[in-house]
Amino acid sequence: MEHQRSGHAGSRVMLLLTALIWGVAFVAQSEGMNYVGGFTFNCSRFLIGGLVLIPCIFLLKRWNKAADGENPAEAGEYQTKKSGRRMAVAGGVCCGIFICIGSSLQQFGIAQTTVGKAGFITALYIVIVPVLGLFLKKSVGLHIWISVAIAAAGMYLLCVTEGFSIGKGDFLVFLGALGFSVHILVIDYFSPRADGVVISCIQFFTAGVISGVFMLIFEKPSLQAVAAAWAPVLYAGVLSCGVAYTMQVVAQKYVEPTVASLILSLESVFSLLAGWVLLGQRLSARELSGCVLVFAAIILAQLPVKEKIS
């Protein structure tokens, strides 16, 4: 099963597109924070992401019916679907909690540290995921560990451009990386057991409601401010949430979580490229070297490995 999942090329392309959308979303998030607070921004984009997926769920259900025929379901099949719905709700709520935790900690941590430090610390989830996986009895090959080491070195060259010191913002971003790491593992558990699009939709509404509660407690939201930030909010809601996170959930059915985290870590590379193209920021030789190392790690992690015959 693991060999089949790690060999699905189409799912890896989906994860690569996810990383691209997330990378460009850093520009949208930066612009959005000029108008609204962190919880307000997250609440808005998560709720939009959930709303975007509602028609997608019904369209996919109709297409599946047309493909499978209109024969009535048997009792056993009905029970299977009922169990799948319960699993989708449970998975969506769990994913929503951890994506809310990770996104909120990252959002407020970035405000208290440099972008370079935040990028590297967030990218530590490529190391955290296999370490947490060991506690769940998930073994990884030697080439994956080598890939993790190369990717971590690449992320350091790519993001850390000044002396490294641990401050309050750095610690918050690190806790956010832990949240994203657990989110990846939770998706890995639930995505093969339920409809990925339904899980994604529920996770956004869960994260949106939680962010909304904290928004009302700690911030003073206004419709005028949200309207002024309509462009970044829509990008983050429709593309970053509705499209990218859904592709992540669907693709992780066939990609081992450590490999998935390595591919998704390319969002840091794409964020620098987006800053270069959209904001006129130039890449230094050090940053380009980091890009090369990260791409090398991704390629190494996807090399086929012969399975041992037991």
Side-chain angles (χ1 to χ4, degrees):
M1 176 65 179
E2 291 296 328
H3 177 71
Q4 180 183 1
R5 290 174 60 189
S6 61
H8 200 289
S11 295
R12 295 180 182 184
V13 172
M14 292 175 66
L15 289 175
L16 186 62
L17 290 174
T18 297
L20 173 60
I21 294 173
W22 285 348
V24 178
F26 275 101
V27 176
Q29 287 179 263
S30 177
E31 287 297 308
M33 290 294 286
N34 293 327
Y35 302 95
V36 294
F39 288 124
T40 302
F41 185 84
N42 281 342
C43 175
S44 301
R45 68 164 175 157
F46 285 138
L47 291 179
I48 290 174
L51 290 172
V52 166
L53 290 184
I54 291 178
C56 295
I57 292 173
F58 286 102
L59 285 175
L60 288 173
K61 188 175 294 186
R62 289 188 62 181
W63 288 339
N64 290 334
K65 278 187 177 181
D68 297 338
E70 298 294 336
N71 295 327
E74 297 178 357
E77 183 180 351
Y78 174 78
Q79 291 298 327
T80 300
K81 289 182 178 180
K82 188 175 181 181
S83 175
R85 286 194 292 268
R86 288 197 298 265
M87 191 64 70
V89 171
V93 171
C94 291
C95 289
I97 291 172
F98 286 108
I99 199 176
C100 181
I101 292 173
S103 297
S104 299
L105 288 168
Q106 181 195 58
Q107 196 76 30
F108 289 104
I110 289 176
Q112 303 179 60
T113 187
T114 64
V115 173
K117 288 182 183 180
F120 175 67
I121 296 171
T122 300
L124 285 176
Y125 67 77
I126 67 176
V127 179
I128 298 171
V129 166
V131 172
L132 292 179
L134 291 177
F135 291 98
L136 301 176
K137 299 181 179 179
K138 290 180 175 289
S139 61
V140 296
L142 176 61
H143 73 297
I144 295 294
W145 286 110
I146 296 174
S147 298
V148 167
I150 295 174
M155 284 297 178
Y156 184 86
L157 292 176
L158 185 63
C159 300
V160 179
T161 57
E162 61 275 330
F164 193 93
S165 61
I166 300 297
K168 182 179 179 181
D170 301 332
F171 185 63
L172 288 175
V173 175
F174 175 73
L175 292 178
L178 281 173
F180 289 130
S181 300
V182 177
H183 179 252
I184 289 175
L185 293 173
V186 171
I187 289 176
D188 179 62
Y189 176 81
F190 283 103
S191 60
R193 295 170 168 82
D195 189 319
V197 182
V198 175
I199 290 177
S200 191
C201 182
I202 295 173
Q203 82 166 348
F204 291 140
F205 281 119
T206 300
V209 169
I210 296 174
S211 297
V213 171
F214 286 105
M215 172 189 71
L216 295 175
I217 295 175
F218 297 107
E219 297 174 357
K220 296 179 179 179
S222 69
L223 290 177
Q224 291 82 358
V226 175
W230 69 270
V233 167
L234 280 180
Y235 181 92
V238 176
L239 289 178
S240 183
C241 290
V243 176
Y245 273 112
T246 300
M247 286 198 297
Q248 179 198 11
V249 171
V250 174
Q252 275 198 226
K253 288 184 179 181
Y254 309 102
V255 181
E256 197 273 333
T258 305
V259 176
S261 67
L262 281 166
I263 299 175
L264 292 174
S265 71
L266 281 173
E267 68 175 295
S268 296
V269 178
F270 289 128
S271 68
L272 281 179
L273 294 175
W276 178 42
V277 174
L278 301 176
L279 304 177
Q281 299 174 346
R282 295 181 179 274
L283 295 175
S284 67
R286 177 189 177 94
E287 291 167 333
L288 288 173
S289 299
C291 290
V292 171
L293 285 177
V294 172
F295 275 110
I298 300 304
I299 293 173
L300 177 59
Q302 297 182 80
L303 292 178
V305 178
K306 292 183 179 179
E307 293 185 346
K308 294 182 180 180
I309 301 176
S310 57

